[in-house]
Amino acid sequence: PEAELGDFAPEPDWFLVEKSYVAGLSTHSGRRMLDAGEIVHFGFPSYDRVNCGIKMSAKKAASLLQIVRFSTKRAGEIGKLSPEWTKCLVPLVNSSKVKIQGKIVFPTMELSLMQDILLYVSFYIHKSVFTKGDNSSLSQLAPANVDYSDNPLHALFKLLKLRASIKADFTLDELTRKRPWNLRGDANGDDESTPIVGLETRRTAGQTFPEQAADEQAISEAALNKIIGTAEIYDLKEAEPPHTLVSVLKPYQKEALFWMSELEKGCIDDDESKNAIDPCFSAYTIADKRAPAVYINVFSGEATTKFPSLSKTTRGGILADAMGLGKTVMTIALILSNPRGEQSNYIERDIIRPVRGRDTRTCTSIPNIRGGTLIVCPMALLGQWKDELEAHSTPGAISVFVYYGGDRTGDLKLMAEHTVVLTTYGVLQSAHKADGSSAFHRIDWYRIVLDEAHTIKSPRTKAAQAAYMLSSQCRWCLTGTPLQE
């Protein structure tokens, strides 16, 4: 047969992201006629573990997902893409929102095994992901499980060397890069070596600190300032506690209640916050001028075409007061002031999660029931939280359900009708399933509170991944040690 040549027909439903040279490796040897400009066809693996009527093991199916083969009409299969391209392209193409087209760059008469084959590839995104007011299809481009690695769409943009028009203030690489702290303040003009006041004194006083584990995060002083340096811009007022709170709050606790309430509303009334992009997002412009900018959260992989305003995306935070200052009471006051989001701009949404079933791994929509507040804590504090909730609120103000031991239930409506559901990290971890079908993950909570949140400091632990997959409007971390050496 003759070589398949020519240009690709324009398709109005697909927007060009970028064109790039991509190196593949030949999987065959011998005489193979390849002409410059000859069209190649890509074969992407599916997530179905049944192939030609034969059910494969999960291990074999996973290994096949690492291979994207390409062929020509005349020569048949000739090679495969490199792993770095395969890793990001497989989930994107299987989402049916991304496609690629390619051609041979250099003519070839003879191939040897594992020979480089240069392709010129065009990358496209379907126009549906840019539908105004509906970003559900963009959320399907998120990774199918949380492994704290690059989101496939973000990884593709980096491979294509797309420059972000707006860069995230801090990136995954910055937070995971290992670097020693400079405790003595050696002056070399580098922000990363800024001395950390107090650590050297404490060390010389005879205290020792554990070594940083291989899977823990290190953060530079410069990145830390970006995170906490904006705290001083807020003019904190003293909020009046709800009438259902029987305790008397101290002035600083009333300020905390005001701060937490405003963050949950997503409306810190500050012009600078409204016009500023969320620091976790980067903005990209693709080659097709018909498409608007794409905003990607470089940590969670969330992608959207709506401008992620800092005042609208920040719902929750870290309450890191020292031990004994009343973090529990502040949180109870917050719950009583707004039990289920009645006083906030509760976002009605369809939760679309990446789901991996027994034989398939696809993105699907899970019906969610709206819940109140989920509090996750260590087992030793479970009874204390229940007692504190009841002691600091008027009778009948809130209903508390303890999901532990013999009191576990699969009745979602029963769990959702309570104001507060209490459970432990161990129970959450054991209930977590890859397909998101656990009772906790099938409820769209208004608020999630993680007590002793440093428990999930290592993102690769099962407890941390179970917490990441929870769905909620607002998220709070309570800890007296937000930064640990």
Side-chain angles (χ1 to χ4, degrees):
E2 296 182 356
E4 189 178 11
L5 303 171
D7 296 326
F8 298 112
E11 299 181 61
D13 290 345
W14 291 92
F15 293 169
L16 176 66
V17 177
E18 189 58 271
K19 296 181 179 180
S20 177
Y21 290 102
V22 176
L25 294 174
S26 64
T27 54
H28 291 75
S29 59
R31 184 176 178 82
R32 289 288 195 281
M33 289 288 294
L34 301 176
D35 289 341
E38 188 170 356
I39 295 174
V40 295
H41 302 275
F42 296 93
F44 282 85
S46 71
Y47 293 125
D48 197 341
R49 284 171 54 186
V50 178
N51 187 17
C52 298
I54 302 174
K55 187 174 181 179
M56 299 177 290
S57 66
K59 185 176 181 181
K60 185 174 182 180
S63 65
L64 291 177
L65 287 176
Q66 308 303 316
I67 303 175
V68 174
R69 305 178 188 276
F70 57 89
S71 60
T72 66
K73 183 178 179 180
R74 179 171 55 168
E77 181 186 322
I78 53 176
K80 63 179 182 179
L81 296 181
S82 62
E84 61 177 355
W85 287 97
T86 299
K87 186 177 180 181
C88 66
L89 284 175
V90 168
L92 293 176
V93 172
N94 274 288
S95 73
S96 301
K97 301 299 179 183
V98 172
K99 76 170 186 177
I100 63 174
Q101 297 175 329
K103 295 182 178 182
I104 298 291
V105 176
F106 298 118
T108 303
M109 296 285 291
E110 192 90 14
L111 280 179
S112 57
L113 200 61
M114 303 305 287
Q115 175 184 331
D116 285 339
I117 302 175
L118 192 62
L119 309 176
Y120 191 57
V121 182
S122 302
F123 299 81
Y124 299 88
I125 291 183
H126 195 267
K127 71 174 185 180
S128 63
V129 305
F130 299 104
T131 303
K132 202 168 186 179
D134 177 16
N135 294 299
S136 60
S137 54
L138 266 180
S139 66
Q140 295 185 27
L141 303 183
N145 64 331
V146 180
D147 61 358
Y148 212 65
S149 62
D150 247 349
N151 168 265
L153 186 61
H154 187 229
L156 175 63
F157 284 1
K158 290 201 296 185
L159 286 173
L160 292 175
K161 294 182 171 55
L162 290 184
R163 291 191 175 183
S165 55
I166 303 175
K167 292 188 67 175
D169 281 355
F170 32 86
T171 65
L172 185 64
D173 291 338
E174 287 179 342
L175 295 184
T176 55
R177 188 183 304 130
K178 303 299 184 292
R179 59 172 69 86
W181 296 107
N182 179 5
L183 301 179
R184 303 185 183 278
D186 301 331
N188 59 7
D190 192 343
D191 284 342
E192 294 181 359
S193 298
T194 303
I196 302 184
V197 179
L199 287 186
E200 175 65 13
T201 303
R202 289 165 57 199
R203 186 181 291 271
T204 56
Q207 293 189 15
T208 58
F209 301 90
E211 291 289 334
Q212 179 176 303
D215 59 353
E216 292 181 4
Q217 304 169 34
I219 183 169
S220 70
E221 189 77 357
L224 178 61
N225 287 335
K226 291 177 182 177
I227 299 174
I228 66 173
T230 58
E232 298 177 357
I233 70 172
Y234 300 123
D235 180 20
L236 295 181
K237 303 173 184 177
E238 293 185 12
E240 284 302 316
H243 68 276
T244 50
L245 181 73
V246 299
S247 304
V248 178
L249 297 184
K250 293 178 170 38
Y252 72 87
Q253 292 175 324
K254 292 180 179 179
E255 289 183 349
L257 177 58
F258 171 81
W259 174 71
M260 296 172 79
S261 299
E262 290 299 298
L263 282 179
E264 285 201 344
K265 294 174 185 175
C267 56
I268 292 290
D269 291 326
D270 178 271
D271 290 337
E272 185 177 349
S273 297
K274 291 179 180 178
N275 297 324
I277 189 173
D278 186 297
C280 296
F281 280 81
S282 291
Y284 292 89
T285 303
I286 66 174
D288 197 315
K289 301 307 179 185
R290 296 175 296 166
V294 177
Y295 301 94
I296 297 180
N297 187 313
V298 298
F299 297 97
S300 69
E302 176 189 356
T304 178
T305 55
K306 290 184 177 179
F307 179 76
S309 168
L310 179 60
S311 64
K312 295 299 181 184
T313 56
T314 306
R315 292 177 180 261
I318 302 175
L319 184 61
D321 285 357
M323 185 186 304
L325 292 183
K327 293 189 292 294
T328 302
V329 176
M330 297 178 204
T331 305
I332 294 173
L334 177 68
I335 295 172
L336 289 171
S337 66
N338 195 8
R340 307 178 72 88
E342 296 89 344
Q343 308 302 321
S344 302
N345 300 321
Y346 198 109
I347 302 173
E348 294 289 350
R349 61 205 175 138
D350 290 327
I351 305 301
I352 297 182
R353 286 202 195 95
V355 171
R356 176 161 50 187
R358 177 169 297 179
D359 295 321
T360 61
R361 180 179 163 196
T362 58
C363 295
T364 186
S365 178
I366 300 177
N368 281 263
I369 298 174
R370 183 191 294 185
T373 297
L374 173 66
I375 299 177
V376 186
C377 63
M379 184 181 65
L381 300 179
L382 193 64
Q384 180 181 331
W385 262 104
K386 185 176 186 299
D387 293 342
E388 294 280 342
L389 283 162
E390 294 173 349
H392 292 288
S393 59
T394 58
I398 57 174
S399 58
V400 180
F401 178 76
V402 180
Y403 190 100
Y404 186 78
D407 294 327
R408 304 187 195 188
T409 179
D411 189 340
L412 301 184
K413 291 185 178 180
L414 175 64
M415 293 175 62
E417 69 184 14
H418 286 82
T419 313
V420 176
V421 175
L422 280 169
T423 193
T424 68
Y425 287 101
V427 171
L428 177 65
Q429 175 182 327
S430 62
H432 176 235
K433 300 175 183 177
D435 62 0
S437 63
S438 80
F440 298 110
H441 297 84
R442 291 169 63 193
I443 295 177
D444 187 19
W445 304 96
Y446 172 66
R447 179 189 296 111
I448 293 174
V449 177
L450 301 183
D451 192 19
E452 302 296 338
H454 50 268
T455 302
I456 63 165
K457 65 179 181 180
S458 175
R460 292 187 179 89
T461 62
K462 292 182 179 179
Q465 299 212 10
Y468 296 160
M469 291 294 288
L470 291 169
S471 170
S472 70
Q473 292 283 319
C474 308
R475 295 172 181 249
W476 290 100
C477 291
L478 312 185
T479 176
T481 53
L483 298 177
Q484 296 182 337
E485 190 183 14

